[in-house]
């Protein structure tokens, strides 16, 4: 299957934003060793994609809430079919189908961004002055030459940590500078990738379902660590895209999680109840402390009100029935 349509779409968005910044007056030439018109074109490629995917992102949050609400039932199934994984999987799939919950919905926005990432990776990797087909994917020769010479702090956006000496020579770049800029960006990319996953897990909690928990651990630790190796082959422009995307995700998740806060589901109650069995309530307890023992109350005789001043003395024998004599 040809991915040319993706390359054309990514190129069109990049060139449109670059033309927009050029029209506004953003300098095309390097300022502080940076061609800001091209850097901003990559940044706003992220904005464009994220705005398009925003409704799906909201569906992702709602799906996660639905999965949380189902955790008590999932736990019941796990207890019921303990040791029978095949039956457990069938019952859980039936539960998800019946409740219209999709466990894979949480990864959908990330999967939908993979073609964009691959498209940008391919387009920027082509920014080699030695290329003959400069007008591929709707580029003009002038735009191609401008992008291939675009830099971030004197490091070309088409350069990468693992660029060969020949590639650096064609890009007119300093190898040490490219490695420093690319290395710093890779570390920032790893850190922001970890923070986006951590932010979501802290807000929604760890899943009870082993498969969901495994996906959460993979996103939290596996993906950031894999970037330490794969980041060496990413062009600097692609790393700028990834870091910007992560920062956008952090802000968007914070807004959505405030608007759709995680409900106090029965899952947390069930979990806390299993770990800390509920004890009978104790009167007077404060933060779980036992009340201090009270001394036994002494029997008190009823107090007789004193006669008012000027009142006639009352004869206690008056009014009592006379005793009969034997």
């Amino acid at each position: 299957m040809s991915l040319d349509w993706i390359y054309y779409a990514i190129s069109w968005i990049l060139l449109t934003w670059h033309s927009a910044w050029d029209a506004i007056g953003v300098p095309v030439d390097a300022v502080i060793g940076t061609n800001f018109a091209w850097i901003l074109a990559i940044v706003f490629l992220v904005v464009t994609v994220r705005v398009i995917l925003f409704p799906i992102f909201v569906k992702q949050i709602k799906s996660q809430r639905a999965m949380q609400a189902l955790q008590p039932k999932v736990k019941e199934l796990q207890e019921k079919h303990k040791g029978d994984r095949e039956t457990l999987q069938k019952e859980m799939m039936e539960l998800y189908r019946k409740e219209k919950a999709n466990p894979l919905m949480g990864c959908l926005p990330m999967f939908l961004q993979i073609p964009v990432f691959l498209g940008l990776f391919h387009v920027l990797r082509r920014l080699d002055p030695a290329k003959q087909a400069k007008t591929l994917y709707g580029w003009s020769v002038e735009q191609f030459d401008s992008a291939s010479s675009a830099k971030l702090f004197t490091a070309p956006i088409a350069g990468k940590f693992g660029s060969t000496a020949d590639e650096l020579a064609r890009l007119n770049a300093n190898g040490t500078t490219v490695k420093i800029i690319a290395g710093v960006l890779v570390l920032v990319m790893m850190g922001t990738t970890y923070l986006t996953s951590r932010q979501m897990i802290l807000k929604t909690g760890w899943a009870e379902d082993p498969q969901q928990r495994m996906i959460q651990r993979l996103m939290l630790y596996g993906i950031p660590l894999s970037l330490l190796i794969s980041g060496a082959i990413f062009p600097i422009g692609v790393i700028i895209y990834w870091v910007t995307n992560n920062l956008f995700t952090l802000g968007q998740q914070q807004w959505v999680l405030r608007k759709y806060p995680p409900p106090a589901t029965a899952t947390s109650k069930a979990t806390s109840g299993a770990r800390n069995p509920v004890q009978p309530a104790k009167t007077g307890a404060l933060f779980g402390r036992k009340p201090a023992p009270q001394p036994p109350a002494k029997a008190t005789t009823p107090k007789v009100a004193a006669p008012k001043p000027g009142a006639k003395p009352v004869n206690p024998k008056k009014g009592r029935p006379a005793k009969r004599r034997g």
Side-chain angles (χ1 to χ4, degrees):
M1 180 180 176
S2 176
L3 296 178
D4 283 357
W5 67 275
I6 296 178
Y7 306 147
Y8 274 101
I10 297 300
S11 296
W12 182 82
I13 296 173
L14 274 177
L15 296 175
T16 300
W17 277 114
H18 180 264
S19 300
W21 296 119
D22 187 19
I24 291 173
V26 175
V28 176
D29 297 329
V31 177
I32 321 176
T34 303
N35 298 87
F36 286 100
W38 283 109
I39 302 299
L40 288 173
I42 295 173
V43 169
F44 276 81
L45 169 64
V46 175
V47 175
T48 303
V49 172
R50 296 310 295 265
V51 168
I52 294 172
L53 294 180
F54 184 75
I56 299 175
F57 183 81
V58 174
K59 286 184 179 179
Q60 173 198 20
I61 298 295
K62 291 182 178 179
S63 176
Q64 288 176 338
R65 300 294 180 267
M67 293 295 295
Q68 282 182 309
L70 289 177
Q71 289 308 307
K73 294 183 179 179
V74 170
K75 194 170 183 180
E76 288 177 11
L77 290 175
Q78 290 171 344
E79 293 294 332
K80 182 179 178 181
H81 303 290
K82 200 171 185 179
D84 188 354
R85 295 195 63 179
E86 185 177 352
T87 305
L88 175 61
Q89 290 300 321
K90 288 181 180 178
E91 292 286 342
M92 286 177 61
M93 289 300 104
E94 178 62 23
L95 175 65
Y96 293 149
R97 185 194 64 79
K98 183 179 177 182
E99 299 294 337
K100 298 180 179 179
N102 187 354
L104 299 178
M105 188 67 189
C107 301
L108 185 59
M110 184 181 68
F111 288 148
L112 291 177
Q113 291 182 74
I114 291 176
V116 180
F117 172 80
L118 293 176
L120 182 63
F121 179 84
H122 177 79
V123 168
L124 293 184
R125 191 176 59 174
R126 288 191 66 258
L127 295 179
D128 186 339
K131 292 282 184 183
Q132 298 298 321
K134 296 183 178 181
T135 57
L136 199 60
Y137 309 135
W139 290 66
S140 68
V141 175
E142 183 183 359
Q143 289 169 332
F144 186 94
D145 291 339
S146 174
S148 61
S149 62
K151 294 178 174 59
L152 173 68
F153 301 120
T154 71
I157 62 173
K160 51 186 180 291
F161 189 89
S163 291
T164 64
D166 290 340
E167 290 173 338
L168 293 170
R170 291 196 298 270
L171 292 170
N172 193 25
N174 179 279
T176 304
T177 302
V178 170
K179 279 182 168 52
I180 292 174
I181 298 298
V184 170
L185 285 175
V186 167
L187 293 177
V188 175
M189 177 173 62
M190 292 174 61
T192 52
T193 300
Y194 170 80
L195 289 176
T196 54
S197 299
R198 183 174 179 271
Q199 180 191 48
M200 182 62 70
I201 291 172
L202 287 178
K203 290 289 184 179
T204 59
W206 287 97
E208 293 289 335
D209 180 15
Q211 287 186 339
Q212 290 292 307
R213 186 179 285 262
M214 183 180 67
I215 292 174
Q216 286 178 322
R217 289 189 182 278
L218 176 65
M219 294 181 66
L220 184 61
Y221 302 112
I223 294 178
L225 287 175
S226 68
L227 295 175
L228 185 62
I229 300 172
S230 58
I233 65 172
F234 292 164
I236 288 175
V238 172
I239 304 177
I240 293 171
Y241 170 89
W242 194 303
V243 170
T244 306
N245 186 62
N246 286 344
L247 295 175
F248 196 99
T249 299
L250 284 169
Q252 184 173 265
Q253 282 183 172
Q254 188 65 24
W255 181 84
V256 172
L257 290 169
R258 283 185 180 180
K259 189 172 180 62
Y260 302 98
T265 60
T267 308
S268 56
K269 294 179 183 178
T271 306
S272 61
R275 294 175 183 173
N276 303 308
V278 178
Q279 301 293 334
K282 297 180 180 180
T283 308
L286 179 63
F287 303 116
R289 297 177 183 174
K290 293 182 180 180
Q294 300 293 330
K298 295 180 180 180
T300 55
T301 55
K303 294 181 179 180
V304 179
K308 295 181 180 180
K312 294 181 180 181
V314 179
N315 188 350
K317 294 183 179 181
K318 234 179 192 183
R320 291 184 182 178
K323 292 183 180 180
R324 293 181 183 180
R325 295 179 182 177

